[in-house]
């Protein structure tokens, strides 16, 4: 009952605030057509990412976990013409579907997909001495989220924002003895985030078409 209700309210919000958009709708359709899991952010969450990126005046965005490029498109649309988004994806099929969606959205020049496990591609970004990213969105596998956050800190600067998805997991994060490795991965991340002196951070719970979960938002305040 709760899920049906949350989805109906999400549809109401989407109808009010998300105008029809061919590039985004085609991206969701391609997720189904290519048999990818429907684990993209919800439309209103995509718009939240877009608004946060816009309000932060971002020039450079790093995303971990591309899937079909749905959140990528929302985020990249907040960039200026000479802005850059690098998105990390381990699955070649996901990367291929995403590239087609990014091209169709007219974002080819701004978005670069780096194929490979994020724990391998992140050190390469550091070795390349990439300019700091203004916003990082962490949404890949959940087991390594604490490590991804550590790398994100190396790739950002004071004033950058690091947003991490799925940090509540239907409330499963309150169970210290959970046998679920994703929950344990996120618990490790949440505990590290709370103690990290270089950020001001909080977690907000979310409910909607994607169930009960949460977003962590961290502002980098120290080096
Ligand atoms: C939750 S989905 C991303 C959803 C996307 N951010 C959106 O909202 O549209 C997670 C993605 O991370 C990818 N992934 C899983 N493990 C990864 C890893 N170790 N490195 C990079 N990507 C990974 C998966 O293949 C999947 O496409």
């Amino acid at each position: 009952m709760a899920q049906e209700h949350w989805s109906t309210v999400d549809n109401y919000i989407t109808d009010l605030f998300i105008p029809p958009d061919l590039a985004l709708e085609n991206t969701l359709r391609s997720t189904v057509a290519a048999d990818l899991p429907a684990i993209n952010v919800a439309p209103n969450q995509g718009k939240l990412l877009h608004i946060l990126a816009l309000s932060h005046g971002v020039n450079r965005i790093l995303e971990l976990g591309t899937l079909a490029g749905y959140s990528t498109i929302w985020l990249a649309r907040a960039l200026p013409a000479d802005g850059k988004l690098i998105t990390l994806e381990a699955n070649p099929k996901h990367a291929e579907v995403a590239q087609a969606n990014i091209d169709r959205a007219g974002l080819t020049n701004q978005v670069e997909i780096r194929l490979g496990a994020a724990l391998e591609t992140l050190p390469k970004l550091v070795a390349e001495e990439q300019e700091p990213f203004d916003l990082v969105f962490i949404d890949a596998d959940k087991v390594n989220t604490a490590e991804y956050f550590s790398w994100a800190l190396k790739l950002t600067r004071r004033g950058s924002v690091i947003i991490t998805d799925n940090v509540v997991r239907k409330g499963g994060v309150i169970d210290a003895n959970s046998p679920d490795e994703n929950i344990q991965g996120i618990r490790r991340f949440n505990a590290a985030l709370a103690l990290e002196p270089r950020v001001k951070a909080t977690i907000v719970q979310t409910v909607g078409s994607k169930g009960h979960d949460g977003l962590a938002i961290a502002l980098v305040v120290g080096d």
Side-chain angles (χ1 to χ4, degrees):
M1 173 58 198
Q3 182 55 61
E4 198 182 319
H5 186 60
W6 297 337
S7 295
T8 306
V9 177
D10 251 7
N11 290 340
Y12 162 81
I13 295 168
T14 301
D15 287 347
L16 278 175
F17 292 98
I18 322 288
D21 186 310
L22 209 55
L24 288 170
E25 286 156 19
N26 282 339
T27 298
L28 294 182
R29 273 194 278 273
S30 76
T31 308
V32 179
D35 220 11
L36 268 45
I39 49 175
N40 50 277
V41 295
N44 53 343
Q45 294 170 339
K47 190 160 181 189
L48 173 66
L49 293 173
H50 177 72
I51 292 167
L52 289 173
L54 267 185
S55 60
H56 214 59
V58 296
N59 282 301
R60 290 175 54 76
I61 299 174
L62 174 64
E63 177 180 64
L64 283 67
T66 319
L67 192 65
Y70 187 73
S71 55
T72 316
I73 293 172
W74 273 113
L75 284 165
R77 284 178 172 175
L79 290 168
D82 61 349
K84 175 99 186 163
L85 184 154
I86 297 180
T87 181
L88 312 182
E89 175 55 57
N91 185 314
K93 182 177 171 190
H94 296 188
E96 191 185 327
V97 173
Q99 187 65 60
N101 288 324
I102 288 158
D103 293 345
R104 272 195 295 267
L107 294 164
T108 314
N109 292 336
Q110 283 144 300
V111 177
E112 182 189 343
I113 302 176
R114 296 269 180 118
L115 185 60
L119 285 180
E120 287 169 20
T121 45
L122 285 162
K124 288 185 188 151
L125 293 178
V126 173
E128 287 166 16
E129 299 185 7
Q130 288 273 340
E131 274 176 53
F133 293 92
D134 307 306
L135 186 150
V136 181
F137 179 45
I138 301 177
D139 190 22
D141 64 287
K142 307 305 159 183
V143 173
N144 295 309
T145 301
E147 286 71 28
Y148 296 155
F149 186 75
S150 296
W151 283 106
L153 280 175
K154 293 188 216 296
L155 288 158
T156 48
R157 55 167 174 79
R158 207 178 283 217
S160 300
V161 175
I162 304 171
I163 303 166
T164 307
D165 199 11
N166 309 124
V167 297
V168 170
R169 313 202 66 77
K170 299 190 172 105
V173 285
I174 62 174
D175 180 4
N177 300 315
S178 171
D180 182 328
E181 60 175 5
N182 295 321
I183 288 175
Q184 290 303 343
I186 291 295
R187 277 181 57 83
R188 215 156 48 78
F189 162 70
N190 290 346
L193 180 65
L195 291 177
E196 175 52 61
R198 288 169 287 181
V199 301
K200 274 191 194 292
T202 191
I203 289 174
V204 282
Q205 296 186 71
T206 53
V207 293
S209 58
K210 299 290 170 178
H212 172 207
D213 218 317
L215 273 179
I217 303 190
L219 175 69
V220 180
V221 293
D223 314 304

